[in-house]
Amino acid sequence: MTLTNEGFKLLTTCFTLTLAVTTIVVYPPLSLSIYAVSVFVLTYILFAAVRLRKIKSSAFGFSRKLDVKTVRPGGRFTVEVTLTNLSGVPLHVVLNDSAGNLVLAEGSLTIEKRLQPNQSATLRYKAYAPARGVYRLGPPVVKVVDEYGLVNRVLVLEEEANVYVLPGMVEKPRLAEGVKAVQNVYVSGTGLSVKHGVEDVFREVGEYEEGQPLKAVDWRRTARMDGELYVKKFDRVNRLRILFLVEVTKGSLVGNPTLLDSVFASVIGVAKAMVESGDVVAVKLLGQTGSNTLTVHSTADLEKLAYFLTAARPVTAYDFVKETEEINGFDVVFLIGRLVNVRPEQLLTFTGKVRRTGGVFFTLIPMLDADDGIRRALAILEDMRVEKFLHTANVAKISQHSLPSYLAHLHRVLRAAA
Amino acid sequence: MIVSRTVRLAAVLPPLAISLLTYLKTDFSNYYMVLGAISLVLITSTDRLKWAGVGLVYLPAAYTVYLLFNGDPAPFLGLATGYVLISPIVFTLAAYNSKNLSGLLTGYFTAYVFATLLYAVVEGGNTKPEAVFTTLVRNLIGVFGGDVVNIIPQQNPPIFLMSTITGAATIALLLSISIKSEGPPHITSEWLAAFFTAIALMGLGVFTVTLYPWLTPALLLGVVSLLTLAAAIIVRWLNA
């Protein structure tokens, strides 16, 4: 319960004038007049505060909608916040929404209205996110103001909501134009299904569990038994276990879209193709603290992957050896990044480690598209810097726009070899 | 619109009434006084008239200063008295046109005090323009030399008349609180409860004024202070 600006000013004025008319300006009619007004204001504020206290969050219905399913950097979207008065009595409300770090493009974050019972007020504004990341909307704050605007009750209707701004997708030019430099690709497959080329191998018959597809039901077995449903279980023996090691460093925040966003968009795109063909994809973000690895088993997990990548916060530097020391058990490992924090011998050591466990390791260095003088100069410097890595096997410099195509190409090669 | 304007007018009636009583006793023989009064009103009016007011303020002011240095102080004092005499009306206009309640209340109080001060000067027999200005200054300086610091002098407007008008103005002030956006007063149950509480406590004040006038200031301040303290505690409890 707080006083509004108007209420505070009025109360202060009343008290000051009361002090004046009882000390230095004593004229009974005026003194009593100011006194009566002061008493009135004080008691009114008290009565109004007691009434407003009875209003709870449940007196309002609230909803917030965005007009787009996926928010991209720079893309405008409309936020529609609706507040409904469920209290059964008319209420004067001021609804405030917060757009956090989103940029307000159009409209206002505040609406003031007197709501009759069951009447709604809608607040509409347009905003956009300047870059990829997790942004916050809200929490919505409702101020219920008394009839004369002197007292208000502040209610927070819900917690703030996250808006995931996914990396912008990049166009896909021809692969040949995008590949800047590439070493020979040595593929040593998983060796599990080369001979037979089958994907599923029968393992056992088990009882049907809710949620399993009906096509998995073993109808013969079911007919022979006591009426319970039985399903056949298979092992997918040539499923590739793929790991993406993605550098999330501030050095990748160059270009438009940034190199990092291009990498994220490529990983999301190619991961979708990979899981659709039965592979398991894990993504480990290098340089991130806390939960920095996400495994995608099915297309249902792709949304989680998008959110996971969106929430990544670039760091200045990371320790490549420490971050990769516990990695094993993958058939394919992709390292994608500018390798600012990696030395060639560390890369070589890690390549050997992956090979020893039967996997294959690719390093992809995304390059900025040089379309003006400054970027061309930067590209030349970057070429000189990464030159030392190109002597290692399976290292490629790829244009940022060609990354999805190249990853898809490598995946096709690997699937063919598996 | 008309209702809200009428309520506002009723709320600022006391300073207007006192000023009227003052003007009835004032000698307007010095035309510079009228000029001063008109220019001050014009300067607080609309934007277009404001420029006319500025001209009317600076030109006569410069001219009367010139006359003052040439040994004729009457125009200068007349002009100054005109400004002073019209000031309660200017404050009343400011209160009447105020957009918020604190502005209304402050304007009402200021206009009331100025009108009372001027009334006391004229009531004391100082009706000539020169005398009004000099006596007012002398009265104000003299206030702080006494035992009791009270700006309001002994020569007051008639208490009975002013009590009646001020009572009506007070009710109008309370009604002004219930007016939003120039509409008619919107009376709620909280307003009524507060109104009756204020009337009851005002009754206590009137009783004290009548029987124990010396106790009145302390009682009024005490009641308001206690109410403020109670409000602070109750609001804290409500927020808990």
Side-chain angles (χ1 to χ4, degrees):
Chain A
M1 209 75 56
T2 54
L3 290 174
T4 59
N5 281 342
E6 178 70 22
F8 179 74
K9 276 196 280 187
L10 183 60
L11 203 57
T12 313
T13 306
C14 283
F15 198 81
T16 311
L17 295 186
T18 305
L19 201 62
V21 296
T22 51
T23 50
I24 55 168
V25 192
V26 185
Y27 177 56
L30 178 63
S31 300
L32 284 171
S33 173
I34 295 292
Y35 161 75
V37 174
S38 300
V39 168
F40 173 86
V41 170
L42 271 167
T43 45
Y44 171 78
I45 284 173
L46 272 181
F47 289 131
V50 170
R51 184 177 73 86
L52 289 181
R53 190 184 183 237
K54 292 173 188 161
I55 297 166
K56 309 281 183 198
S57 304
S58 55
F60 296 100
F62 172 81
S63 72
R64 185 195 276 117
K65 281 189 284 187
L66 269 64
D67 67 339
V68 291
K69 281 187 177 174
T70 309
V71 182
R72 301 284 182 196
R76 289 189 179 194
F77 56 93
T78 305
V79 183
E80 196 174 287
V81 182
T82 306
L83 183 77
T84 309
N85 176 9
L86 304 174
S87 68
V89 291
L91 293 175
H92 187 97
V93 295
V94 181
L95 172 64
N96 278 305
D97 201 17
S98 165
N101 290 332
L102 291 167
V103 181
L104 185 68
E106 199 180 309
S108 162
L109 294 171
T110 303
I111 187 171
E112 184 173 352
K113 199 172 179 183
R114 185 176 166 78
L115 289 179
Q116 297 301 326
N118 296 320
Q119 192 187 1
S120 297
T122 303
L123 173 64
R124 271 190 205 87
Y125 58 88
K126 285 189 175 179
Y128 67 90
R132 170 195 60 81
V134 184
Y135 293 81
R136 288 188 171 80
L137 279 178
V141 176
V142 175
K143 284 184 184 171
V144 187
V145 189
D146 74 297
E147 294 292 333
Y148 313 132
L150 301 181
V151 198
N152 62 24
R153 176 163 171 73
V154 180
L155 297 166
V156 180
L157 290 188
E158 64 171 25
E159 291 182 358
E160 53 196 11
N162 286 343
V163 176
Y164 289 89
V165 180
L166 305 178
M169 296 302 285
V170 290
E171 51 188 295
K172 297 175 182 175
R174 288 175 59 190
L175 179 61
E177 294 167 6
V179 180
K180 308 281 184 190
V182 61
Q183 295 289 327
N184 291 332
V185 176
Y186 303 106
V187 177
S188 54
T190 61
L192 289 174
S193 60
V194 177
K195 284 182 184 173
H196 306 291
V198 293
E199 288 197 333
D200 299 338
V201 171
F202 173 72
R203 175 156 51 95
E204 60 179 352
V205 172
E207 283 192 4
Y208 177 81
E209 290 169 10
E210 198 175 327
Q212 288 182 311
L214 279 177
K215 70 177 183 182
V217 173
D218 183 354
W219 294 108
R220 284 188 179 186
R221 179 69 176 264
T222 301
R224 279 205 301 274
M225 302 303 283
D226 50 4
E228 286 290 318
L229 285 172
Y230 289 90
V231 291
K232 282 181 178 175
K233 292 183 178 173
F234 296 90
D235 285 334
R236 304 197 71 175
V237 291
N238 64 343
R239 169 176 288 179
L240 290 175
R241 291 158 299 170
I242 300 167
L243 172 67
F244 284 98
L245 295 172
V246 181
E247 279 190 346
V248 186
T249 55
K250 288 181 178 170
S252 301
L253 296 178
V254 288
N256 186 22
T258 64
L259 280 182
L260 190 61
D261 281 1
S262 299
V263 171
F264 283 167
S266 308
V267 170
I268 292 170
V270 82
K272 183 172 183 289
M274 287 169 171
V275 292
E276 278 174 352
S277 59
D279 299 332
V280 177
V281 177
V283 179
K284 182 180 172 72
L285 301 178
L286 300 175
Q288 299 294 290
T289 51
S291 173
N292 61 356
T293 306
L294 183 90
T295 306
V296 182
H297 295 95
S298 65
T299 49
D301 295 331
L302 286 168
E303 197 178 340
K304 282 184 204 163
L305 176 64
Y307 291 151
F308 176 67
L309 294 179
T310 300
R313 291 177 181 277
V315 294
T316 313
Y318 71 96
D319 186 341
F320 179 74
V321 176
K322 197 175 167 187
E323 295 263 3
T324 55
E325 63 188 1
E326 289 180 3
I327 290 172
N328 62 52
F330 289 96
D331 303 312
V332 187
V333 178
F334 293 103
L335 169 64
I336 311 177
R338 291 182 57 219
L339 308 186
V340 175
N341 303 109
V342 186
R343 293 199 302 275
E345 58 271 23
Q346 290 174 333
L347 205 60
L348 211 57
T349 309
F350 185 66
T351 306
K353 182 182 166 186
V354 175
R355 279 197 180 171
R356 277 195 297 280
T357 56
V360 59
F361 177 53
F362 294 97
T363 303
L364 307 182
I365 306 174
M367 303 296 285
L368 208 57
D369 286 328
D371 50 8
D372 59 30
I374 294 173
R375 289 189 188 182
R376 267 196 293 277
L378 285 173
I380 292 167
L381 289 172
E382 186 74 348
D383 277 342
M384 289 163 65
R385 190 185 65 79
V386 300
E387 183 65 30
K388 59 192 174 190
F389 294 106
L390 294 176
H391 305 298
T392 314
N394 291 358
V395 176
K397 278 195 304 182
I398 311 293
S399 153
Q400 69 179 124
H401 288 110
S402 305
L403 210 52
S405 314
Y406 190 66
L407 279 168
H409 163 71
L410 286 179
H411 182 233
R412 278 195 297 274
V413 171
L414 290 162
R415 290 293 306 173
Chain B
M1 177 85 173
I2 293 172
V3 178
S4 65
R5 292 278 115 185
T6 310
V7 170
R8 279 258 166 152
L9 186 64
V12 294
L13 217 47
L16 288 179
I18 300 171
S19 298
L20 188 66
L21 291 175
T22 308
Y23 299 152
L24 288 175
K25 293 179 180 178
T26 311
D27 177 2
F28 283 95
S29 58
N30 188 332
Y31 295 119
Y32 282 96
M33 196 166 78
V34 181
L35 184 65
I38 292 172
S39 63
L40 203 65
V41 171
L42 285 178
I43 213 166
T44 56
S45 303
T46 61
D47 285 343
R48 198 187 300 170
L49 289 174
K50 209 172 268 180
W51 287 106
V54 170
L56 280 170
V57 168
Y58 286 114
L59 290 177
Y63 183 61
T64 52
V65 169
Y66 167 77
L67 291 177
L68 177 71
F69 285 115
N70 282 288
D72 183 8
F76 178 80
L77 289 172
L79 201 66
T81 307
Y83 294 155
V84 170
L85 275 177
I86 205 68
S87 57
I89 304 296
V90 171
F91 288 125
T92 305
L93 281 174
Y96 180 77
N97 293 320
S98 170
K99 297 274 185 277
N100 55 54
L101 296 169
S102 52
L104 171 64
L105 200 57
T106 310
Y108 165 79
F109 168 80
T110 317
Y112 206 127
V113 172
F114 262 78
T116 313
L117 290 176
L118 287 169
Y119 179 87
V121 171
V122 178
E123 180 66 14
N126 307 293
T127 56
K128 294 278 182 196
E130 299 83 357
V132 171
F133 185 73
T134 48
T135 313
L136 181 70
V137 173
R138 204 179 299 132
N139 278 358
L140 282 174
I141 294 169
V143 162
F144 299 99
D147 295 335
V148 179
V149 180
N150 183 11
I151 289 175
I152 307 293
Q154 293 301 315
Q155 296 90 350
N156 289 323
I159 290 278
F160 181 74
L161 173 70
M162 285 320 296
S163 298
T164 313
I165 297 176
T166 309
T170 306
I171 294 173
L173 277 173
L174 302 187
L175 278 173
S176 298
I177 294 175
S178 71
I179 293 173
K180 294 291 275 186
S181 317
E182 303 282 329
H186 179 68
I187 307 295
T188 61
S189 54
E190 290 85 25
W191 188 94
L192 274 178
F195 178 75
F196 288 122
T197 310
I199 294 292
L201 287 172
M202 194 168 168
L204 179 67
V206 172
F207 175 78
T208 318
V209 164
T210 313
L211 294 182
Y212 311 102
W214 52 272
L215 187 64
T216 310
L219 176 88
L220 302 189
L221 190 59
V223 169
V224 172
S225 300
L226 278 175
L227 267 176
T228 308
L229 186 68
I233 293 169
I234 292 172
V235 169
R236 191 180 167 82
W237 169 73
L238 290 175
N239 282 331

